[in-house]
Amino acid sequence: MIILNDYPLHIVQQPAFRSFVDSMQPNFKMVDIGTMETEVYAIYLKERDNLQQALGNIPGRISLTVGSVTTSQTLGYISLAAQFIDSEWRLHRRILNFMMAPWPHSEDAVSKAISKGLSGWNMHDKLFTITLEHDCSSNDIYSANLRNHISSDNILNRKGQLFVVRCYANIVNAVAHDVLASVHNVIYLVRESIKFIKADSAHEEKFAEIAQQLEIPSTNILCLDVTTEWNTTYLMLLAALDYRQEFTILESCYDNYNTAPSTEDWKKAEAACGFLKLLHASALIMMPAEGNPTANIFFLDACSLQLELQNGKAHEDVIIRDIAIGIHERFDKYWKDCNVVLAIAVSMDPRYKMKMVEFAYCKMYGPTDAAKYVKVVDDAVLELYKEYVAQPLTLSPVYIDQVPADGLPAIETTLAPVTTSPSMAGSGLVDFDMYLSEATTMDQPFKHELELYLEEALIQRTREFDVMKWWQDNTVKYPTLSRMARDVLAIPMCTAGVGSSVFLAGSRSSMTLDDYRSSLRPELVEALFCAKDWLQYSP
């Protein structure tokens, strides 16, 4: 109860709680704080062993997310979580470590701490990618150090080129805050105006009377925003825009109200809301009804956002153009860093495959330049696929897959023996098999799984489509490619987990330990955080 509900350990000493327990069962002997700490550790160790066993049995590789949490004393914690797809093609995310970051802070120290945290999980041969929440330039060193510390014990796909991924929620939030910063004066005026209206019932009545006279059709309700959640500021501005005339009229009714935004201010607010609408929609796709989103859904949204920002830079409206120019640089850096891994992920979606990559790049770069960008993704997909071909299959495939390119040796796989009845045995069938092989070779060149998959027609796009169910159903048809798809679809493009607000991802105010947790020993903090996560999935 204490772990799952974040109650303080000293609840066992609180008179009200002790009285409540005593009223339910007078014979119950209440434990002390020391006993509670021991119990927490026991649960933590037991659930850790269960998770370690489960991770050892998963069929694919593991991708990681790295998050940071600060304390009221400005000390830092690092949270490390594993994301993977199990044998039933279900996506999971589990916290692995919640460690205090070394002091003083440095990229090298943090990467060493992460390496140390991973050392106890025996996943050196399973690590696939690592997703960082930050997008600042200093993390270029951070990423390099992580790669160097971990790659010595781990076989990284594509020589580590796909190893580091940036958090999509973090970049969306950072761009949203840039938009808000560009109209901070307008936001201040709107906030002060709403405060004036809400502070006195007479002001509210007057405002409602003006709205009724003007016959404003809006159903939006004026309310103050939560400054740490940018989506609430967007909704506040959106509602205020509907009532812009009322604010001006209200100012003429009260001498002590002088914060009504001007016509120019409303134009800025309208332009900002146009961009915030796009970012709000982007954030919502990272919040599925249940579970974490698979990696294939992010490419389309990132492309749309990049294209809108590019177009905004050339917009005829100077206000829109200035905002777009101010925010595009940040998102463009993310796009350049991550568009290949986003494209690889969408290529594993049978509704889109490489056709979506070709289509999107043509719109973004034009038909001539798009070809070179598409080739980069094509080469990356093929190279990654060849690495999976070079790895032995855990189960005997229906047929042997080969990729005769770049001198890569063909993989010889021993097929399971076929039991035949006496009437089916005989040299005639051997000759028949040889005939079929020769006929197939003469009729058409050999095609490996990736070619067959990409050449097949796209499947129909429906709201109910489940990409993981599709790959589960087609594992026999694509034994090698399905292993690659399993790992690619499990890449966490966003560090915000289930139940976390994507509007807060990467925000310092959202990731701060309270004073009570900050006062506990780091080992106990880790036990409480990790055990809470694991107990949610415990039988």
Side-chain angles (χ1 to χ4, degrees):
M1 180 189 75
I2 288 175
I3 293 172
L4 288 174
N5 295 288
D6 296 326
Y7 295 141
L9 295 178
H10 59 255
I11 191 175
V12 297
Q13 292 182 330
Q14 294 176 355
F17 181 71
R18 296 176 73 96
S19 176
F20 167 73
V21 173
D22 186 62
S23 69
M24 299 293 290
Q25 175 51 273
N27 294 328
F28 181 76
K29 302 300 181 184
M30 184 61 71
V31 297
D32 58 21
I33 294 180
T35 303
M36 286 310 309
E37 288 192 12
T38 303
E39 289 292 332
V40 168
Y41 279 120
I43 292 172
Y44 163 75
L45 293 174
K46 177 185 176 183
E47 294 302 325
R48 191 180 192 279
D49 288 343
N50 292 340
L51 178 59
Q52 187 137 28
Q53 184 176 357
L55 292 177
N57 294 329
I58 64 170
R61 307 191 79 176
I62 295 171
S63 289
L64 303 174
T65 66
V66 179
S68 62
V69 181
T70 58
T71 70
S72 55
Q73 295 90 0
T74 69
L75 295 172
Y77 277 84
I78 298 169
S79 65
L80 197 63
Q83 186 156 303
F84 56 92
I85 294 175
D86 65 16
S87 57
E88 299 299 321
W89 284 86
R90 293 171 301 198
L91 184 64
H92 301 273
R93 182 181 293 184
R94 299 287 186 273
I95 289 181
L96 299 179
N97 299 95
F98 196 84
M99 311 164 288
M100 181 172 281
W103 186 265
H105 296 308
S106 71
E107 285 81 2
D108 185 67
V110 171
S111 61
K112 286 180 178 177
I114 294 172
S115 301
K116 181 180 178 181
L118 288 177
S119 65
W121 289 97
N122 301 323
M123 60 172 63
H124 296 301
D125 59 339
K126 285 183 172 289
L127 194 57
F128 189 55
T129 64
I130 187 163
T131 302
L132 304 174
E133 68 175 15
H134 299 294
D135 68 323
C136 55
S137 58
S138 62
N139 279 301
D140 293 339
I141 304 172
Y142 182 14
S143 304
N145 285 331
L146 280 175
R147 189 183 293 111
N148 293 336
H149 281 300
I150 296 173
S151 60
S152 59
D153 299 315
N154 181 67
I155 303 172
L156 298 178
N157 291 80
R158 295 194 73 237
K159 300 177 182 178
Q161 293 177 34
L162 299 181
F163 181 59
V164 177
V165 181
R166 307 292 183 188
C167 172
Y168 190 61
N170 180 265
I171 191 64
V172 167
N173 289 347
V175 173
H177 284 294
D178 286 347
V179 174
L180 295 178
S182 69
V183 292
H184 67 279
N185 289 333
V186 183
I187 294 172
Y188 169 78
L189 294 175
V190 170
R191 281 186 185 136
E192 292 302 307
S193 296
I194 295 176
K195 288 177 185 178
F196 178 83
I197 295 169
K198 298 291 184 182
D200 192 316
S201 58
H203 299 168
E204 285 191 285
E205 291 173 6
K206 186 64 177 179
F207 190 81
E209 180 186 329
I210 296 171
Q212 189 174 9
Q213 291 174 354
L214 295 175
E215 298 181 349
I216 301 298
S218 176
T219 57
N220 290 326
I221 299 174
L222 280 181
C223 58
L224 285 171
D225 61 333
V226 179
T227 57
T228 57
E229 300 180 30
W230 66 263
N231 60 311
T232 64
T233 306
Y234 161 61
L235 296 175
M236 179 185 74
L237 289 177
L238 206 59
L241 279 166
D242 290 342
Y243 299 102
R244 66 186 83 179
Q245 291 177 274
E246 283 89 327
F247 287 106
T248 303
I249 297 174
L250 191 69
E251 192 173 37
S252 65
C253 299
Y254 295 97
D255 293 334
N256 59 338
Y257 171 51
N258 55 9
T259 55
S262 65
T263 302
E264 187 68 16
D265 290 330
W266 288 121
K267 288 181 180 179
K268 292 178 181 178
E270 198 164 23
C273 282
F275 289 105
L276 291 173
K277 181 181 179 180
L278 298 171
L279 297 166
H280 190 261
S282 296
L284 291 179
I285 72 163
M286 295 178 268
M287 300 172 64
E290 57 183 36
N292 290 295
T294 48
N296 56 301
I297 71 169
F298 291 85
F299 179 81
L300 282 70
D301 192 75
C303 282
S304 298
L305 199 49
Q306 173 76 342
L307 188 61
E308 289 291 343
L309 295 180
Q310 284 181 353
N311 293 338
K313 290 171 63 179
H315 201 279
E316 58 184 15
D317 188 308
V318 65
I319 296 176
I320 294 176
R321 186 167 66 248
D322 286 347
I323 295 177
I325 291 172
I327 64 179
H328 179 256
E329 182 179 357
R330 186 190 295 271
F331 191 82
D332 188 54
K333 183 181 185 305
Y334 171 85
W335 175 255
K336 289 174 180 176
D337 286 343
C338 296
N339 79 91
V340 173
V341 68
L342 292 170
I344 291 174
V346 83
S347 74
M348 293 294 101
D349 189 327
R351 297 171 296 176
Y352 304 114
K353 303 183 183 179
M354 285 298 297
K355 295 298 182 184
M356 174 54 71
V357 178
E358 295 165 4
F359 169 76
Y361 284 177
C362 277
K363 292 189 72 173
M364 294 175 64
Y365 304 114
T368 304
D369 291 337
K372 64 181 181 181
Y373 291 102
V374 172
K375 186 178 186 305
V376 170
V377 178
D378 264 328
D379 292 346
V381 172
L382 179 59
E383 186 178 342
L384 183 60
Y385 172 69
K386 287 191 291 186
E387 292 188 20
Y388 280 84
V389 173
Q391 301 166 9
L393 286 167
T394 54
L395 297 175
S396 297
V398 175
Y399 58 91
I400 302 172
D401 192 24
Q402 301 171 354
V403 184
D406 302 331
L408 183 71
I411 306 301
E412 297 182 1
T413 307
T414 303
L415 299 178
V418 179
T419 304
T420 58
S421 63
S423 60
M424 293 294 291
S427 60
L429 289 181
V430 175
D431 292 341
F432 177 65
D433 289 339
M434 292 177 62
Y435 164 76
L436 287 179
S437 177
E438 292 171 359
T440 302
T441 303
M442 291 188 329
D443 291 343
Q444 61 181 26
F446 173 82
K447 292 185 178 180
H448 53 73
E449 288 178 31
L450 180 60
E451 290 176 306
L452 294 173
Y453 165 75
L454 293 176
E455 289 177 4
E456 277 189 345
L458 303 181
I459 69 169
Q460 185 177 1
R461 298 190 304 277
T462 60
R463 184 180 297 272
E464 300 78 19
F465 177 74
D466 185 339
V467 67
M468 299 221 283
K469 180 68 166 60
W470 189 91
W471 278 106
Q472 183 180 27
D473 293 342
N474 287 272
T475 299
V476 173
K477 184 177 182 180
Y478 301 114
T480 300
L481 191 60
S482 64
R483 290 191 296 126
M484 172 175 153
R486 183 196 301 273
D487 294 341
V488 169
L489 293 174
I491 296 175
M493 299 296 180
C494 170
T495 59
V498 178
S500 302
S501 172
V502 295
F503 300 107
L504 291 170
S507 142
R508 181 174 296 275
S509 59
S510 69
M511 304 295 289
T512 303
L513 284 185
D514 57 37
D515 290 342
Y516 169 70
R517 293 294 180 95
S518 299
S519 69
L520 300 176
R521 298 193 311 277
E523 312 85 58
L524 185 56
V525 174
E526 180 173 43
L528 288 167
F529 267 85
C530 293
K532 178 181 179 179
D533 181 70
W534 302 336
L535 285 172
Q536 297 177 68
Y537 311 102
S538 183

